[in-house]
mmCIF file of all heavy atoms in Angstrom:
data_model
loop_
_atom_site.group_PDB
_atom_site.id
_atom_site.type_symbol
_atom_site.label_atom_id
_atom_site.label_comp_id
_atom_site.label_asym_id
_atom_site.label_seq_id
_atom_site.Cartn_x
_atom_site.Cartn_y
_atom_site.Cartn_z
ATOM 1 N N VAL A 1 0.838 -1.204 0.000
ATOM 2 C CA VAL A 1 0.000 0.000 0.000
ATOM 3 C C VAL A 1 0.873 1.255 0.000
ATOM 4 O O VAL A 1 0.551 2.254 -0.661
ATOM 5 C CB VAL A 1 -0.964 -0.013 1.204
ATOM 6 C CG1 VAL A 1 -1.720 1.311 1.325
ATOM 7 C CG2 VAL A 1 -1.956 -1.177 1.084
ATOM 8 N N ALA A 2 1.978 1.205 0.733
ATOM 9 C CA ALA A 2 2.896 2.346 0.744
ATOM 10 C C ALA A 2 3.439 2.615 -0.657
ATOM 11 O O ALA A 2 3.682 3.768 -1.040
ATOM 12 C CB ALA A 2 4.045 2.088 1.720
ATOM 13 N N ALA A 3 3.631 1.546 -1.449
ATOM 14 C CA ALA A 3 4.131 1.701 -2.819
ATOM 15 C C ALA A 3 3.088 2.347 -3.723
ATOM 16 O O ALA A 3 3.422 3.157 -4.588
ATOM 17 C CB ALA A 3 4.545 0.341 -3.373
ATOM 18 N N GLY A 4 1.816 1.972 -3.541
ATOM 19 C CA GLY A 4 0.752 2.517 -4.371
ATOM 20 C C GLY A 4 0.559 1.738 -5.661
ATOM 21 O O GLY A 4 1.481 1.080 -6.159
ATOM 22 N N ALA A 5 -0.637 1.808 -6.202
ATOM 23 C CA ALA A 5 -0.978 1.055 -7.412
ATOM 24 C C ALA A 5 -0.122 1.468 -8.606
ATOM 25 O O ALA A 5 0.218 0.643 -9.463
ATOM 26 C CB ALA A 5 -2.464 1.233 -7.728
ATOM 27 N N ALA A 6 0.235 2.741 -8.674
ATOM 28 C CA ALA A 6 1.031 3.224 -9.805
ATOM 29 C C ALA A 6 2.397 2.552 -9.873
ATOM 30 O O ALA A 6 3.003 2.478 -10.949
ATOM 31 C CB ALA A 6 1.190 4.740 -9.709
ATOM 32 N N ASN A 7 2.865 2.037 -8.729
ATOM 33 C CA ASN A 7 4.174 1.377 -8.671
ATOM 34 C C ASN A 7 4.059 -0.134 -8.512
ATOM 35 O O ASN A 7 5.013 -0.802 -8.108
ATOM 36 C CB ASN A 7 5.002 1.963 -7.532
ATOM 37 C CG ASN A 7 5.324 3.422 -7.753
ATOM 38 O OD1 ASN A 7 5.862 3.795 -8.793
ATOM 39 N ND2 ASN A 7 4.979 4.267 -6.794
ATOM 40 N N GLY A 8 2.873 -0.666 -8.813
ATOM 41 C CA GLY A 8 2.674 -2.105 -8.743
ATOM 42 C C GLY A 8 2.075 -2.601 -7.456
ATOM 43 O O GLY A 8 1.867 -3.813 -7.292
ATOM 44 N N GLY A 9 1.786 -1.699 -6.506
ATOM 45 C CA GLY A 9 1.180 -2.089 -5.238
ATOM 46 C C GLY A 9 -0.319 -1.854 -5.229
ATOM 47 O O GLY A 9 -1.015 -2.134 -6.207
ATOM 48 N N PHE A 10 -0.816 -1.308 -4.112
ATOM 49 C CA PHE A 10 -2.256 -1.054 -3.961
ATOM 50 C C PHE A 10 -2.464 0.353 -3.420
ATOM 51 O O PHE A 10 -1.592 0.904 -2.734
ATOM 52 C CB PHE A 10 -2.887 -2.067 -3.002
ATOM 53 C CG PHE A 10 -2.742 -3.505 -3.433
ATOM 54 C CD1 PHE A 10 -1.742 -4.305 -2.886
ATOM 55 C CD2 PHE A 10 -3.586 -4.044 -4.386
ATOM 56 C CE1 PHE A 10 -1.581 -5.623 -3.284
ATOM 57 C CE2 PHE A 10 -3.448 -5.375 -4.791
ATOM 58 C CZ PHE A 10 -2.445 -6.161 -4.245
ATOM 59 N N ASP A 11 -3.621 0.909 -3.683
ATOM 60 C CA ASP A 11 -3.924 2.256 -3.205
ATOM 61 C C ASP A 11 -4.588 2.269 -1.841
ATOM 62 O O ASP A 11 -4.704 3.319 -1.215
ATOM 63 C CB ASP A 11 -4.810 2.991 -4.215
ATOM 64 C CG ASP A 11 -4.007 3.482 -5.417
ATOM 65 O OD1 ASP A 11 -2.789 3.689 -5.270
ATOM 66 O OD2 ASP A 11 -4.604 3.640 -6.494
ATOM 67 N N SER A 12 -5.052 1.107 -1.360
ATOM 68 C CA SER A 12 -5.658 1.045 -0.022
ATOM 69 C C SER A 12 -5.477 -0.345 0.541
ATOM 70 O O SER A 12 -5.280 -1.325 -0.207
ATOM 71 C CB SER A 12 -7.154 1.386 -0.072
ATOM 72 O OG SER A 12 -7.890 0.308 -0.628
ATOM 73 N N ILE A 13 -5.554 -0.463 1.869
ATOM 74 C CA ILE A 13 -5.415 -1.772 2.499
ATOM 75 C C ILE A 13 -6.606 -2.662 2.155
ATOM 76 O O ILE A 13 -6.478 -3.892 2.071
ATOM 77 C CB ILE A 13 -5.232 -1.632 4.036
ATOM 78 C CG1 ILE A 13 -4.795 -2.965 4.651
ATOM 79 C CG2 ILE A 13 -6.493 -1.114 4.696
ATOM 80 C CD1 ILE A 13 -3.454 -3.488 4.152
ATOM 81 N N LEU A 14 -7.765 -2.070 1.880
ATOM 82 C CA LEU A 14 -8.923 -2.875 1.478
ATOM 83 C C LEU A 14 -8.696 -3.500 0.109
ATOM 84 O O LEU A 14 -9.089 -4.645 -0.135
ATOM 85 C CB LEU A 14 -10.188 -2.016 1.494
ATOM 86 C CG LEU A 14 -10.619 -1.512 2.875
ATOM 87 C CD1 LEU A 14 -11.842 -0.605 2.762
ATOM 88 C CD2 LEU A 14 -10.911 -2.683 3.812
ATOM 89 N N ASP A 15 -8.048 -2.761 -0.795
ATOM 90 C CA ASP A 15 -7.712 -3.337 -2.104
ATOM 91 C C ASP A 15 -6.737 -4.496 -1.940
ATOM 92 O O ASP A 15 -6.865 -5.543 -2.604
ATOM 93 C CB ASP A 15 -7.083 -2.263 -3.005
ATOM 94 C CG ASP A 15 -8.071 -1.207 -3.440
ATOM 95 O OD1 ASP A 15 -9.294 -1.460 -3.361
ATOM 96 O OD2 ASP A 15 -7.628 -0.118 -3.863
ATOM 97 N N ALA A 16 -5.762 -4.328 -1.057
ATOM 98 C CA ALA A 16 -4.785 -5.398 -0.813
ATOM 99 C C ALA A 16 -5.464 -6.622 -0.210
ATOM 100 O O ALA A 16 -5.146 -7.773 -0.564
ATOM 101 C CB ALA A 16 -3.681 -4.895 0.111
ATOM 102 N N THR A 17 -6.419 -6.386 0.679
ATOM 103 C CA THR A 17 -7.130 -7.492 1.340
ATOM 104 C C THR A 17 -7.855 -8.371 0.327
ATOM 105 O O THR A 17 -7.855 -9.601 0.441
ATOM 106 C CB THR A 17 -8.121 -6.921 2.384
ATOM 107 O OG1 THR A 17 -7.378 -6.245 3.390
ATOM 108 C CG2 THR A 17 -8.952 -8.013 3.012
ATOM 109 N N LYS A 18 -8.477 -7.758 -0.653
ATOM 110 C CA LYS A 18 -9.242 -8.514 -1.660
ATOM 111 C C LYS A 18 -8.352 -9.487 -2.429
ATOM 112 O O LYS A 18 -8.796 -10.550 -2.842
ATOM 113 C CB LYS A 18 -9.918 -7.553 -2.633
ATOM 114 C CG LYS A 18 -11.022 -6.719 -1.992
ATOM 115 C CD LYS A 18 -11.496 -5.616 -2.922
ATOM 116 C CE LYS A 18 -12.479 -4.675 -2.219
ATOM 117 N NZ LYS A 18 -12.846 -3.526 -3.069
ATOM 118 N N LYS A 19 -7.091 -9.139 -2.616
ATOM 119 C CA LYS A 19 -6.177 -9.985 -3.396
ATOM 120 C C LYS A 19 -5.371 -10.954 -2.546
ATOM 121 O O LYS A 19 -5.079 -12.078 -2.963
ATOM 122 C CB LYS A 19 -5.191 -9.079 -4.158
ATOM 123 C CG LYS A 19 -5.779 -8.403 -5.378
ATOM 124 C CD LYS A 19 -5.560 -9.274 -6.603
ATOM 125 C CE LYS A 19 -5.873 -8.493 -7.872
ATOM 126 N NZ LYS A 19 -5.582 -9.295 -9.073
ATOM 127 N N MET A 20 -4.976 -10.514 -1.329
ATOM 128 C CA MET A 20 -3.921 -11.217 -0.616
ATOM 129 C C MET A 20 -4.342 -11.944 0.650
ATOM 130 O O MET A 20 -3.607 -12.816 1.134
ATOM 131 C CB MET A 20 -2.804 -10.211 -0.264
ATOM 132 C CG MET A 20 -2.172 -9.560 -1.485
ATOM 133 S SD MET A 20 -0.954 -8.283 -1.039
ATOM 134 C CE MET A 20 0.336 -9.290 -0.289
ATOM 135 N N ALA A 21 -5.495 -11.612 1.227
ATOM 136 C CA ALA A 21 -5.903 -12.218 2.501
ATOM 137 C C ALA A 21 -6.209 -13.706 2.316
ATOM 138 O O ALA A 21 -6.749 -14.114 1.285
ATOM 139 C CB ALA A 21 -7.123 -11.498 3.049
ATOM 140 N N ARG A 22 -5.887 -14.508 3.356
ATOM 141 C CA ARG A 22 -6.058 -15.959 3.231
ATOM 142 C C ARG A 22 -6.462 -16.575 4.562
ATOM 143 O O ARG A 22 -5.839 -16.323 5.585
ATOM 144 C CB ARG A 22 -4.746 -16.610 2.766
ATOM 145 C CG ARG A 22 -4.355 -16.266 1.341
ATOM 146 C CD ARG A 22 -2.877 -16.493 1.090
ATOM 147 N NE ARG A 22 -2.435 -17.774 1.619
ATOM 148 C CZ ARG A 22 -1.222 -17.980 2.113
ATOM 149 N NH1 ARG A 22 -0.348 -16.992 2.187
ATOM 150 N NH2 ARG A 22 -0.879 -19.172 2.558
ATOM 151 N N ILE A 23 -7.533 -17.396 4.523
ATOM 152 C CA ILE A 23 -7.901 -18.220 5.684
ATOM 153 C C ILE A 23 -8.177 -19.639 5.179
ATOM 154 O O ILE A 23 -8.460 -19.860 4.005
ATOM 155 C CB ILE A 23 -9.130 -17.683 6.439
ATOM 156 C CG1 ILE A 23 -10.353 -17.584 5.520
ATOM 157 C CG2 ILE A 23 -8.834 -16.361 7.102
ATOM 158 C CD1 ILE A 23 -11.625 -17.292 6.265
ATOM 159 N N LYS A 24 -8.083 -20.586 6.089
ATOM 160 C CA LYS A 24 -8.336 -21.987 5.729
ATOM 161 C C LYS A 24 -9.823 -22.223 5.453
ATOM 162 O O LYS A 24 -10.682 -21.525 5.993
ATOM 163 C CB LYS A 24 -7.876 -22.910 6.858
ATOM 164 C CG LYS A 24 -6.366 -22.971 7.030
ATOM 165 C CD LYS A 24 -5.987 -23.991 8.100
ATOM 166 C CE LYS A 24 -4.476 -24.143 8.192
ATOM 167 N NZ LYS A 24 -4.085 -25.154 9.199
ATOM 168 N N ASP A 25 -10.090 -23.227 4.639
ATOM 169 C CA ASP A 25 -11.483 -23.545 4.303
ATOM 170 C C ASP A 25 -12.217 -24.164 5.494
ATOM 171 O O ASP A 25 -13.384 -23.861 5.744
ATOM 172 C CB ASP A 25 -11.532 -24.509 3.114
ATOM 173 C CG ASP A 25 -11.060 -23.862 1.825
ATOM 174 O OD1 ASP A 25 -11.185 -22.625 1.704
ATOM 175 O OD2 ASP A 25 -10.554 -24.590 0.951
ATOM 176 N N GLU A 26 -11.530 -25.045 6.230
ATOM 177 C CA GLU A 26 -12.200 -25.723 7.337
ATOM 178 C C GLU A 26 -12.340 -24.792 8.538
ATOM 179 O O GLU A 26 -11.501 -23.917 8.759
ATOM 180 C CB GLU A 26 -11.453 -26.996 7.744
ATOM 181 C CG GLU A 26 -10.061 -26.780 8.298
ATOM 182 C CD GLU A 26 -8.985 -26.867 7.220
ATOM 183 O OE1 GLU A 26 -9.299 -26.612 6.043
ATOM 184 O OE2 GLU A 26 -7.828 -27.164 7.567
ATOM 185 N N VAL A 27 -13.415 -24.979 9.293
ATOM 186 C CA VAL A 27 -13.664 -24.173 10.481
ATOM 187 C C VAL A 27 -13.791 -25.097 11.691
ATOM 188 O O VAL A 27 -14.030 -26.300 11.549
ATOM 189 C CB VAL A 27 -14.937 -23.311 10.336
ATOM 190 C CG1 VAL A 27 -14.800 -22.356 9.168
ATOM 191 C CG2 VAL A 27 -16.171 -24.176 10.203
ATOM 192 N N ILE A 28 -13.617 -24.527 12.871
ATOM 193 C CA ILE A 28 -13.757 -25.281 14.120
ATOM 194 C C ILE A 28 -15.073 -24.865 14.752
ATOM 195 O O ILE A 28 -15.300 -23.678 15.009
ATOM 196 C CB ILE A 28 -12.584 -24.986 15.064
ATOM 197 C CG1 ILE A 28 -11.256 -25.343 14.383
ATOM 198 C CG2 ILE A 28 -12.727 -25.742 16.382
ATOM 199 C CD1 ILE A 28 -10.038 -24.718 15.022
ATOM 200 N N THR A 29 -15.953 -25.813 14.974
ATOM 201 C CA THR A 29 -17.291 -25.501 15.483
ATOM 202 C C THR A 29 -17.448 -26.001 16.912
ATOM 203 O O THR A 29 -16.876 -27.037 17.293
ATOM 204 C CB THR A 29 -18.376 -26.135 14.599
ATOM 205 O OG1 THR A 29 -18.151 -27.552 14.517
ATOM 206 C CG2 THR A 29 -18.338 -25.551 13.195
ATOM 207 N N PRO A 30 -18.201 -25.284 17.734
ATOM 208 C CA PRO A 30 -18.417 -25.728 19.119
ATOM 209 C C PRO A 30 -19.184 -27.051 19.170
ATOM 210 O O PRO A 30 -20.056 -27.321 18.331
ATOM 211 C CB PRO A 30 -19.262 -24.592 19.723
ATOM 212 C CG PRO A 30 -19.132 -23.445 18.779
ATOM 213 C CD PRO A 30 -18.882 -24.020 17.433
ATOM 214 N N ILE A 31 -18.854 -27.869 20.154
ATOM 215 C CA ILE A 31 -19.564 -29.123 20.407
ATOM 216 C C ILE A 31 -20.575 -28.867 21.519
ATOM 217 O O ILE A 31 -20.182 -28.526 22.645
ATOM 218 C CB ILE A 31 -18.572 -30.233 20.815
ATOM 219 C CG1 ILE A 31 -17.548 -30.463 19.684
ATOM 220 C CG2 ILE A 31 -19.306 -31.524 21.163
ATOM 221 C CD1 ILE A 31 -16.380 -31.342 20.082
ATOM 222 N N PRO A 32 -21.878 -28.970 21.246
ATOM 223 C CA PRO A 32 -22.908 -28.528 22.204
ATOM 224 C C PRO A 32 -22.747 -29.101 23.610
ATOM 225 O O PRO A 32 -22.885 -28.371 24.601
ATOM 226 C CB PRO A 32 -24.211 -28.986 21.546
ATOM 227 C CG PRO A 32 -23.907 -28.980 20.075
ATOM 228 C CD PRO A 32 -22.476 -29.420 19.966
ATOM 229 N N GLU A 33 -22.451 -30.398 23.726
ATOM 230 C CA GLU A 33 -22.330 -30.978 25.074
ATOM 231 C C GLU A 33 -21.118 -30.411 25.816
ATOM 232 O O GLU A 33 -21.152 -30.252 27.040
ATOM 233 C CB GLU A 33 -22.272 -32.509 25.015
ATOM 234 C CG GLU A 33 -21.270 -33.081 24.049
ATOM 235 C CD GLU A 33 -21.852 -33.372 22.662
ATOM 236 O OE1 GLU A 33 -22.712 -32.601 22.196
ATOM 237 O OE2 GLU A 33 -21.430 -34.383 22.057
ATOM 238 N N ASN A 34 -20.052 -30.103 25.087
ATOM 239 C CA ASN A 34 -18.891 -29.474 25.712
ATOM 240 C C ASN A 34 -19.206 -28.051 26.152
ATOM 241 O O ASN A 34 -18.771 -27.595 27.221
ATOM 242 C CB ASN A 34 -17.709 -29.446 24.746
ATOM 243 C CG ASN A 34 -17.135 -30.825 24.477
ATOM 244 O OD1 ASN A 34 -17.589 -31.813 25.046
ATOM 245 N ND2 ASN A 34 -16.140 -30.890 23.609
ATOM 246 N N VAL A 35 -19.961 -27.335 25.316
ATOM 247 C CA VAL A 35 -20.359 -25.961 25.645
ATOM 248 C C VAL A 35 -21.107 -25.930 26.972
ATOM 249 O O VAL A 35 -20.860 -25.067 27.826
ATOM 250 C CB VAL A 35 -21.223 -25.363 24.520
ATOM 251 C CG1 VAL A 35 -21.812 -24.023 24.953
ATOM 252 C CG2 VAL A 35 -20.409 -25.202 23.240
ATOM 253 N N ALA A 36 -22.002 -26.886 27.172
ATOM 254 C CA ALA A 36 -22.825 -26.918 28.385
ATOM 255 C C ALA A 36 -21.959 -27.128 29.629
ATOM 256 O O ALA A 36 -22.160 -26.472 30.661
ATOM 257 C CB ALA A 36 -23.872 -28.020 28.270
ATOM 258 N N VAL A 37 -20.988 -28.040 29.553
ATOM 259 C CA VAL A 37 -20.128 -28.305 30.710
ATOM 260 C C VAL A 37 -19.222 -27.110 30.986
ATOM 261 O O VAL A 37 -19.051 -26.672 32.136
ATOM 262 C CB VAL A 37 -19.288 -29.581 30.493
ATOM 263 C CG1 VAL A 37 -18.314 -29.782 31.657
ATOM 264 C CG2 VAL A 37 -20.192 -30.792 30.344
ATOM 265 N N TYR A 38 -18.657 -26.559 29.927
ATOM 266 C CA TYR A 38 -17.744 -25.430 30.118
ATOM 267 C C TYR A 38 -18.471 -24.197 30.662
ATOM 268 O O TYR A 38 -17.860 -23.376 31.356
ATOM 269 C CB TYR A 38 -17.022 -25.093 28.815
ATOM 270 C CG TYR A 38 -15.796 -25.935 28.576
ATOM 271 C CD1 TYR A 38 -15.565 -26.534 27.342
ATOM 272 C CD2 TYR A 38 -14.851 -26.132 29.585
ATOM 273 C CE1 TYR A 38 -14.424 -27.301 27.116
ATOM 274 C CE2 TYR A 38 -13.719 -26.904 29.374
ATOM 275 C CZ TYR A 38 -13.515 -27.488 28.137
ATOM 276 O OH TYR A 38 -12.395 -28.249 27.939
#
């Protein structure tokens, strides 16, 4: 973002996020019986 789009970068952090952000496909979900005990 500091470089800017004119120099091959991005003009905002939101623009960079659309291209570069990454999370795994799988998610961790609560187990209801464990939730109750905890």
Side-chain angles (χ1 to χ4, degrees):
V1 173
N7 296 306
F10 301 99
D11 283 335
S12 74
I13 192 62
L14 294 177
D15 290 341
T17 297
K18 292 170 187 174
K19 284 269 192 176
M20 299 175 67
R22 292 160 46 213
I23 58 170
K24 290 184 175 182
D25 292 333
E26 64 267 26
V27 299
I28 302 162
T29 56
I31 300 169
E33 50 267 36
N34 291 358
V35 171
V37 175
Y38 276 133

